[in-house]
Amino acid sequence: MTWRPSVPPDAVPRSVRQRHSGPYRAAIVPRIATTSTLTVDGATAALADEASREVTRFDAQLGGEVAPFASVLLRSESASSSQIEQLTAGAKAIAVAELGNGTTRNAVSVVGNVRAMRAALDLAGELDPTSILAMHAALLEEVEPAIAGRWRTEQVWIGGSSYGPHGAAFVPPVADDVPDLIDDLIAFARRDDIPPLVLAALAHAQFETIHPFPDGNGRTGRALIHALLRRYELTRAVTVPVSAGLLTDVDGYFAALTAYREGDPTGIVAALANGALEAIVNARQLVADLHQVRARWDDVVVARRDAAAWRVADLLLRQPVIDAATIARDVGVAPSNALRALEPLLAAGVVTEFSGRARNRLWQAREVLAAVDAFAARAGRRRPGS
C-alpha cells in the first residue's frame, strides 16, 4: 500500500512528510471462523474455567438483587472501559451527564459507553454486523456522530505518529477488508466448540486486530465481550466489570493483544480470566459497601414503611444523582409530589441539593458516589508486585 499524507504541505516539516510518504505494510489478518489453531495450554484453560465459574456464581448471587446493582455495575464497567482509553470521569460527573446535564466531554463519552454496553446486552442474542454497528453508534453518536455506526473507510494505525502509518506499532488491515473480516468474526463468535470465556477473549482480540472503526474500537470490543458472556449465559442478570479487572494491568492487557496478533492466543485469554477474577473481588466490595449505605439509611430516615421516600432510597442506589423528573418517573409519583417524597431523605442528610438552582434542581447521594469512586480507585490501583 502507498500512503499519501492528507496534511497540507506547509503544516509539517519536509522531513516529516518524507518519512510518512510512500509504501507501508498493513496487516493481513487470518480468518478464524473455522480455524483449529487458536488453542491455549492446560494451565490457561483451567484459569479460564475457574474465572467462568466465578462469573456465573457472582451473577447468580446477585440475581435476586438486580434492581439495585445491575445499573451501578454496568456504569462502573463502562467507566472502567473508558479509563483504559484514558477517558476518566468521576461518578458524580457521569451521573449528571446521564440526566442530560453533562458539562465535560469525558463524562458524556462514558455515558455513551453505558449506552453501548446496554446495546451489547440487548443484542447478544442476535449478534451480527448490524448489532456491532449499533453498539458503536450508541457509543459515539453524541460525541462523534460523523463516524458513529459506520465501518472505517480509511487506513488507521496504532502508535507512532499521527501523520501516517510509517513507524506505527501496528497497522490494521486495509479498510476494504473490514466487512469480510467482521463476517468471519461473527461466524467465529457463533461457534459452540470453544468455552465461552475463551471464545469471548479470542473474539475480542480478533476485533481489536481488525480495528473496524476510526475510533472507539477498544470500548466497542470490550462491549462485545459482554455480549458474548450474555449470549452464552455466563451472565444473565448483571454485568461483571471485567474492564475494572483489566485496569490492574493495562500494559499486560495491551501486550496480550500484541501477542495475539503475533500468533499467541494464550495471553489474552489469561488477561480476560484474571481480569474477571479481579473484577469480581472488587465488585463484591462495591456491593457490600452499598448494602452498608442502605442499612445506614434505614437507621436514620424517619418515614412510614410504605412511604415513597423508601422507593427514592432504592432509586439512589442505582442512580445517585436525581432530579424531580427522575423521581416522578421511577418512583411513580406526580412531579409536583417529587420533593415531598424526597423530604425525609433530605432531613436525614441522605441526599443534598448541589445545583444551586431554583428550577431543575439536582440532588446527590454522596455515600453512593463515594462507594462507586472507591471502586474505580481500587480498579486503577496496581497490586504490589504486579
Side-chain angles (χ1 to χ4, degrees):
M1 300 300 296
T2 299
W3 179 253
R4 294 179 177 84
S6 59
V7 180
D10 58 351
V12 294
R14 185 177 64 177
S15 61
V16 174
R17 295 199 309 273
Q18 290 176 337
R19 189 161 62 249
H20 293 286
S21 299
Y24 72 94
R25 290 185 177 181
I28 297 175
V29 179
R31 273 56 173 174
I32 62 172
T34 60
T35 185
S36 59
T37 61
L38 289 175
T39 58
V40 297
D41 58 53
T44 304
L47 176 64
D49 187 55
E50 177 190 4
S52 298
R53 291 195 303 272
E54 288 300 308
V55 166
T56 302
R57 186 161 73 98
F58 177 76
D59 182 82
Q61 287 173 340
L62 286 187
E65 304 180 82
V66 169
F69 302 121
S71 293
V72 75
L73 287 170
L74 177 66
R75 195 180 298 114
S76 297
E77 166 61 4
S78 302
S80 297
S81 182
S82 298
Q83 191 173 343
I84 291 174
E85 309 299 327
Q86 306 298 312
L87 293 169
T88 59
K92 180 176 178 179
I94 295 168
V96 170
E98 282 192 300
L99 295 177
N101 289 272
T103 57
T104 70
R105 182 181 175 89
N106 276 11
V108 173
S109 295
V110 174
V111 171
N113 206 2
V114 174
R115 289 194 295 266
M117 290 287 182
R118 288 194 174 117
L121 298 176
D122 290 343
L123 296 167
E126 49 189 88
L127 193 62
D128 58 20
T130 300
S131 62
I132 293 179
L133 290 172
M135 295 176 209
H136 189 258
L139 175 70
L140 291 182
E141 60 189 355
E142 291 293 326
V143 292
E144 296 187 70
I147 65 170
R150 297 177 176 88
W151 305 126
R152 61 180 168 89
T153 58
E154 298 180 347
Q155 185 65 61
V156 295
W157 57 93
I158 300 170
S161 167
S162 61
Y163 297 117
H166 301 80
F170 177 67
V171 182
V174 296
D176 287 347
D177 288 351
V178 166
D180 181 60
L181 284 167
I182 290 293
D183 287 342
D184 176 79
L185 172 61
I186 293 298
F188 174 80
R190 292 172 177 166
R191 286 176 60 165
D192 59 6
D193 61 331
I194 301 174
L197 191 137
V198 175
L199 181 101
L202 298 176
H204 169 68
Q206 183 76 354
F207 181 89
E208 299 306 324
T209 300
I210 299 168
H211 233 66
F213 300 113
D215 191 21
N217 292 284
R219 286 165 287 165
T220 305
R222 287 185 288 277
L224 176 62
I225 290 174
H226 292 284
L228 291 169
L229 295 182
R230 183 63 56 89
R231 178 183 178 87
Y232 291 102
E233 299 185 343
L234 261 66
T235 60
R236 298 179 181 220
V238 298
T239 304
V240 178
V242 295
S243 295
L246 295 173
L247 268 173
T248 63
D249 187 7
V250 173
D251 290 343
Y253 163 59
F254 286 132
L257 288 174
T258 298
Y260 173 85
R261 292 164 187 151
E262 295 172 350
D264 180 6
T266 299
I268 193 60
V269 175
L272 182 59
N274 283 318
L277 292 169
E278 291 273 2
I280 288 169
V281 172
N282 196 356
R284 288 189 194 283
Q285 182 62 57
L286 173 60
V287 171
D289 290 346
L290 292 176
H291 273 304
Q292 187 174 9
V293 166
R294 186 63 177 80
R296 193 191 76 79
W297 293 352
D298 285 342
D299 292 338
V300 300
V301 173
V302 178
R304 300 189 318 272
R305 297 317 302 173
D306 61 348
W310 297 113
R311 298 198 297 278
V312 177
D314 292 335
L315 168 62
L316 287 165
L317 288 181
R318 61 184 187 270
Q319 183 66 48
V321 173
I322 55 177
D323 55 13
T326 303
I327 296 172
R329 183 186 68 245
D330 287 37
V331 177
V333 299
S336 58
N337 291 330
L339 184 57
R340 182 180 302 172
L342 197 61
E343 281 175 350
L345 304 175
L346 285 165
V350 166
V351 294
T352 57
E353 201 282 334
F354 68 92
S355 64
R357 300 192 296 242
R359 300 180 62 185
N360 301 319
R361 288 181 289 177
L362 299 173
W363 294 271
Q364 63 181 342
R366 289 179 174 171
E367 291 166 292
V368 176
L369 292 170
V372 176
D373 281 335
F375 169 91
R378 290 192 300 269
R381 186 184 307 139
R382 292 179 64 89
R383 298 165 299 164
S386 67

